[in-house]
Amino acid sequence: MDKLVSKAGLLSRNDAKAYIRGGKVSVDGVLKTNPAEKFSENSIIFLDGEKIVYEKNVYYMMNKPGGIVSASEDKKEKTVVDLIKERGNRNLFPAGRLDRDTTGFLLITDDGEFAHKILSPSRHVEKEYIVETDLAIPSELIDFFKEGVDLGDFTALPAVLKILSEKRAAVVLKEGKYHQIKRMFLKYGLKVVSLERIRMGNLNLDENLKAGEYKKLTAEDIGKIAQRG
Ligand code: URA
């Protein structure tokens, strides 16, 4: 029961136990004081007079700021997960890392199965990025990316490149290997000077989110992420 209350109430396990022992929790209308008692996940729980809802998993869209590592924890520095204030005792992690200097749509969740589903190249979930380069982007790069770039240790799957202006383009990938976009451009002699992810599946980065801000996603949003391209 304390596990359920801590997850639903965004509390640590110890705080949840203290609330239960202190007579502040009722389950299905009955006051309960034993944190070890077992309950179904569908129970109606009141904490301090307020109804709290248990969610098996949570999903956040973050507009990742530059300069922060895409990790759950780091001994030395703050991570993207540290920016989530309501994390409670959930094991949140970024589903699909962005480089330290890359900004934009980062999905943070505690649902390992869903993360696997949207990251697996065989599922064809698109990820779209806006890229800025140091030199003008030649139109031959469209075919170069379409054919699949040989990066030595692996060959990238065919990717779509849309040139937006001289040094700006959109790239759509269905996979996400380490430094993949930077390496694909570098293979053609272009350096990526800024990179932002703007879409995962059919869900666009919310333009109202400032760098470092995040929002919880609805079931509909989550469904849109999982849509195949
Ligand atoms: N490709 C990169 O090179 N970096 C990212 O952060 C994402 C895709």
Side-chain angles (χ1 to χ4, degrees):
M1 163 156 160
D2 61 292
K3 192 170 174 189
L4 213 60
V5 171
S6 81
K7 280 200 171 180
L10 302 170
L11 300 168
S12 70
R13 284 292 276 276
N14 280 340
D15 284 351
K17 283 180 192 162
Y19 272 101
I20 297 164
R21 291 201 183 101
K24 293 195 183 311
V25 176
S26 74
V27 179
D28 294 331
V30 182
L31 187 74
K32 298 287 178 184
T33 53
N34 176 8
E37 209 174 320
K38 299 246 182 298
F39 290 101
S40 115
E41 290 179 356
N42 300 322
S43 305
I44 296 173
I45 304 172
F46 275 79
L47 170 73
D48 238 353
E50 268 185 56
K51 188 174 169 183
I52 54 175
V53 178
Y54 172 75
E55 291 169 298
K56 189 162 185 287
N57 294 110
V58 289
Y59 308 81
Y60 295 96
M61 170 194 287
M62 176 180 283
N63 183 358
K64 179 191 171 297
I68 304 245
V69 288
S70 290
S72 301
E73 49 186 24
D74 189 278
K75 288 200 184 74
K76 290 189 219 115
E77 54 183 307
K78 215 170 163 167
T79 68
V80 287
V81 169
D82 292 328
L83 297 178
I84 310 272
K85 295 193 188 77
E86 308 84 342
R87 63 189 291 194
N89 67 343
R90 289 186 185 266
N91 294 321
L92 298 177
F93 61 90
R97 292 168 176 238
L98 294 176
D99 295 338
R100 177 191 286 272
D101 57 348
T102 301
T103 60
F105 189 169
L106 188 63
L107 176 70
I108 299 182
T109 182
D110 56 355
D111 186 345
E113 217 174 292
F114 183 74
H116 179 74
K117 181 167 145 184
I118 60 160
L119 298 177
S120 164
S122 62
R123 295 284 188 142
H124 298 279
V125 172
E126 294 182 348
K127 287 99 193 168
E128 182 166 355
Y129 299 80
I130 299 293
V131 183
E132 276 175 19
T133 52
D134 60 341
L135 303 171
I137 303 168
S139 56
E140 306 96 80
L141 207 61
I142 296 173
D143 284 339
F144 186 68
F145 279 13
K146 207 191 312 180
E147 279 155 23
V149 182
D150 180 0
L151 292 170
D153 51 337
F154 79 102
T155 300
L157 291 174
V160 175
L161 176 74
K162 294 175 247 178
I163 298 178
L164 303 173
S165 65
E166 198 191 13
K167 297 180 182 174
R168 204 158 174 271
V171 182
V172 180
L173 296 186
K174 290 179 178 171
E175 58 187 342
K177 302 251 171 45
Y178 188 59
H179 290 336
Q180 180 163 340
I181 291 185
K182 291 174 185 165
R183 292 177 66 197
M184 285 165 67
F185 276 88
L186 209 53
K187 187 84 189 185
Y188 214 82
L190 296 174
K191 198 169 165 232
V192 170
V193 296
S194 101
L195 186 57
E196 180 188 23
R197 181 155 64 199
I198 56 160
R199 176 168 67 87
M200 294 182 82
N202 278 341
L203 188 65
N204 292 326
L205 174 65
D206 183 337
E207 287 173 4
N208 295 317
L209 289 178
K210 298 198 188 81
E213 289 184 345
Y214 56 88
K215 68 172 190 183
K216 212 161 170 185
L217 295 177
T218 62
E220 192 188 341
D221 294 333
I222 296 157
K224 281 187 184 166
I225 294 181
Q227 278 168 24
R228 298 163 73 100

